[in-house]
Amino acid sequence: MKILVPVKRVVDFNVKIRVKSDQSGIELANVKMSMNPFCEIAVEEAVRLKEKGIATEIIAVSIGPQQAQETLRTALAMGADRAILVQTDVNVEPLAVAKILKALVDKETPQLVILGKQSIDGDNNQTGQMLAALLGWGQGTFASKVEKDGDDLKITREIDGGLETLDLKLPCVVTTDLRLNEPRYASLPNIMKAKQKPLATMAPADLGVDVTPRVVTLKVSEPPKRKAGIKVKDVTELVDKLKNEAKVI
Ligand code: AMP
């Protein structure tokens, strides 16, 4: 089974985001960028499927600027076999990403595409679902467990108040939730080896996809500053404040 794993380069989850002074977006100059955490989980799951002898080849794909090569090298160091960078400086929206991935699926014929459930920059939570629709494939979103079950995939999803188990016919699309696994750190020898692994570069136009944005961001603003807290001297004062000032009890 061949697996395609799309990985996105985003602002590192540890960075405190700053809004640009003209409110047109967030500050990206000199900001640490990393692989989207849910994509790391997707790479890890693909590597585990390969280690179990279920997957035969893992192809990591990123759509983004030239620097997204670093994200792909991380995926290669974690265990992907080869990588494809679809290079563009445009801020590619989920529908265009899904169209590019669809074109790559047509070319590479994987049996499984495993993506993050959401990119932590745009919080879109759209690409996997759009890709499944464009392909006409089944989808298992927010997977917390992935198992091979005969010719099918068994996906466990965390839903309100319980677990839902799906049986998916291959080929299919899976998106990863936080508790699916804990991604490994790439070891130094694997980081060195990853430098030798194949990384192909192409443009969206090579795949016949127009990435012109369709959505305009009108304004980005910071959340209102929270008021500083106070210390109360005892429970009586706390109850009094909750009742008479905050009026919540
Ligand atoms: P989103 O729909 O933007 O929240 O992203 C969900 C998932 O789609 C991500 O975790 C990635 O696996 C994939 N994805 C989204 N944008 C890109 C991109 N530019 N390059 C590669 N994969 C992407």
Side-chain angles (χ1 to χ4, degrees):
M1 173 162 86
K2 213 180 193 186
I3 306 184
L4 195 74
V5 192
V7 291
K8 188 174 183 190
R9 177 177 184 265
V10 297
V11 173
D12 188 273
F13 74 97
N14 280 312
V15 169
K16 187 165 178 330
I17 300 292
R18 276 179 300 121
V19 172
K20 281 187 186 164
S21 51
D22 64 1
Q23 295 195 309
S24 62
I26 58 158
E27 202 56 74
L28 290 177
N30 302 320
V31 168
K32 182 173 183 237
M33 306 290 283
S34 301
M35 189 190 297
N36 182 46
F38 293 107
C39 302
E40 278 183 0
I41 295 172
V43 175
E44 176 66 34
E45 198 59 25
V47 174
R48 290 187 190 189
L49 288 170
K50 192 169 176 207
E51 286 168 348
K52 285 184 200 146
I54 296 168
T56 47
E57 189 185 24
I58 303 168
I59 309 162
V61 182
S62 197
I63 299 131
Q66 203 214 341
Q67 297 91 316
Q69 278 196 13
E70 294 159 19
T71 315
L72 288 168
R73 290 284 172 212
T74 306
L76 293 169
M78 286 173 74
D81 298 291
R82 61 187 170 94
I84 302 170
L85 171 64
V86 181
Q87 194 175 327
T88 172
D89 289 326
V90 173
N91 180 20
V92 188
E93 292 169 358
L95 180 59
V97 173
K99 287 181 183 170
I100 288 173
L101 295 175
K102 153 101 173 52
L104 286 172
V105 167
D106 292 344
K107 233 168 119 120
E108 297 283 350
T109 61
Q111 288 285 91
L112 171 65
V113 183
I114 182 161
L115 311 90
K117 73 164 178 184
Q118 175 172 340
S119 3
I120 61 164
D121 52 0
D123 275 350
N124 303 312
N125 179 2
Q126 295 175 9
T127 309
Q129 294 89 329
M130 285 178 169
L131 176 64
L134 291 175
L135 289 166
W137 289 6
Q139 58 179 310
T141 52
F142 314 142
S144 60
K145 202 169 179 189
V146 175
E147 296 156 285
K148 187 90 185 349
D149 188 13
D151 285 342
D152 301 351
L153 271 196
K154 203 160 92 184
I155 305 293
T156 306
R157 314 177 66 225
E158 287 178 11
I159 54 169
D160 277 352
L163 297 175
E164 180 182 56
T165 311
L166 304 179
D167 181 90
L168 293 180
K169 300 263 171 277
L170 295 172
C172 66
V173 173
V174 169
T175 72
T176 61
D177 211 340
L178 197 62
R179 274 177 287 275
L180 177 58
N181 62 46
E182 221 171 278
R184 68 195 64 193
Y185 288 104
S187 65
L188 191 58
N190 285 344
I191 293 172
M192 300 312 287
K193 267 192 232 156
K195 294 189 178 166
Q196 309 305 323
K197 290 187 180 176
L199 193 160
T201 303
M202 55 181 78
D206 299 335
L207 298 165
V209 179
D210 175 10
V211 293
T212 313
R214 295 161 176 235
V215 179
V216 179
T217 302
L218 298 178
K219 190 171 133 185
V220 177
S221 44
E222 298 211 9
K225 292 251 179 305
R226 288 174 63 179
K227 279 202 264 166
I230 55 158
K231 269 191 181 166
V232 289
K233 62 177 185 307
D234 54 24
V235 173
T236 319
E237 189 185 346
L238 174 66
V239 172
D240 176 63
K241 286 201 180 295
L242 289 174
K243 224 183 221 165
N244 301 317
E245 281 183 26
K247 297 195 189 334
V248 290
I249 54 170

